[in-house]
Amino acid sequence: YNLIYLKFRGRLSTLKKGRAAKMICTFAGHREVFGLSQWPVVEALETLLSTEQELICYEGGMGEFGRLCACAVRTLKSRHQDKRIRLILVLPYMYQRLNTDGEYYRKNFDEVIVLHELAQVHYKKAVTARNRWMVDQADQLIALVWREHGGAWQTLQYAQRRGKHSVSIKRKENAPDGA
């Protein structure tokens, strides 16, 4: 995998060999998914991919929903080997686990981005800033949000204020209330 440190300003250039990315997607969801499978996310991604040859997915690496989305992207990659699909992990700061578990990251992500300008930001604010950066880069947000507080809700609200198109994934009917 490629570990890339980026400055926080502006939209990330996704040009490679003269071609621009067709669709950039990111995800926002509460940490718990309560038994939700990857298939609603796969379906949403399939819809995006139906009109595109290239899909770049930014994933934040936090919580069950993030892992579920990463799994959905990997499923899509195996189904559509004729299309260019990339899964990029975007971290708000450097983690020691990038060094200790490097093989995991090389196997599961096409790239890992650590946002350089967030290095001096308090870790809780860095996560919010990273989420906003991912929304700013994206054309599409896929969200699992059922309560009106927390980072996922704030990210969805930010995306709506920025005029980003979003797809809401519904949680299971029997999921615990208040969670």
Side-chain angles (χ1 to χ4, degrees), residues 14-28:
T14 55
L15 296 176
K16 184 149 186 161
K17 295 182 182 173
R19 297 183 329 171
K22 297 293 185 184
M23 175 66 69
I24 300 174
C25 177
T26 193
F27 309 98

Side-chain angles (χ1 to χ4, degrees), residues 3 8 10 17 25 37 47 66 68 72 87 89 94 99 118-119 123 130 133 141 143 150-151 154-155 166 168-169 176:
L3 179 59
F8 187 67
K17 295 182 182 173
C25 177
S37 76
T47 301
L68 185 141
L87 177 59
L89 179 64
M94 185 65 183
N99 294 320
L118 300 182
Y123 75 96
R130 182 273 321 268
W133 183 89
L141 173 72
Q154 291 174 355
T155 301
S166 62
S168 292
I169 303 295

Side-chain angles (χ1 to χ4, degrees), residues 55 89 124 151 159 167:
L55 177 65
L89 179 64
K124 288 188 177 182
V167 173

Side-chain angles (χ1 to χ4, degrees), residues 135 138-139 156-166:
V135 167
D139 303 302
L156 178 59
Q157 296 299 303
Y158 180 76
Q160 290 172 345
R161 286 192 307 272
R162 302 287 291 182
K164 301 292 179 166
H165 183 71
S166 62

Side-chain angles (χ1 to χ4, degrees), residues 7-157:
K7 297 212 181 235
F8 187 67
R9 293 179 184 86
R11 184 177 169 115
L12 173 66
S13 171
T14 55
L15 296 176
K16 184 149 186 161
K17 295 182 182 173
R19 297 183 329 171
K22 297 293 185 184
M23 175 66 69
I24 300 174
C25 177
T26 193
F27 309 98
H30 299 300
R31 287 183 185 266
E32 312 85 14
V33 296
F34 300 109
L36 180 72
S37 76
Q38 70 169 328
W39 301 113
V41 178
V42 169
E43 185 177 304
L45 290 169
E46 287 277 8
T47 301
L48 294 178
L49 197 58
S50 67
T51 60
E52 305 295 343
Q53 287 298 311
E54 187 170 1
L55 177 65
I56 297 173
C57 298
Y58 290 125
E59 203 278 295
M62 300 181 112
E64 291 177 19
F65 186 67
R67 286 188 294 278
L68 185 141
C69 291
C71 185
V73 173
R74 286 190 287 276
T75 296
L76 209 65
K77 288 175 80 164
S78 68
R79 283 186 179 179
H80 298 281
Q81 295 179 15
D82 59 318
K83 296 191 178 194
R84 183 168 159 81
I85 302 169
R86 297 175 60 215
L87 177 59
I88 300 174
L89 179 64
V90 181
L91 299 174
Y93 35 75
M94 185 65 183
Y95 289 93
Q96 177 61 31
R97 68 179 188 235
L98 288 174
N99 294 320
T100 59
D101 301 328
E103 185 59 32
Y104 168 82
Y105 294 100
R106 279 187 288 283
K107 178 182 172 190
N108 289 293
F109 298 96
D110 297 302
E111 290 181 25
V112 176
I113 296 173
V114 179
L115 297 173
H116 173 25
E117 288 188 9
L118 300 182
Q120 302 303 316
V121 176
H122 186 273
Y123 75 96
K124 288 188 177 182
K125 290 185 179 188
V127 170
T128 299
R130 182 273 321 268
N131 291 348
R132 288 180 175 198
W133 183 89
M134 291 192 306
V135 167
D136 289 342
Q137 307 312 306
D139 303 302
Q140 177 84 32
L141 173 72
I142 296 176
L144 174 67
V145 177
W146 66 82
R147 56 183 175 225
E148 295 184 358
H149 63 277
W153 183 77
Q154 291 174 355
T155 301
L156 178 59
Q157 296 299 303

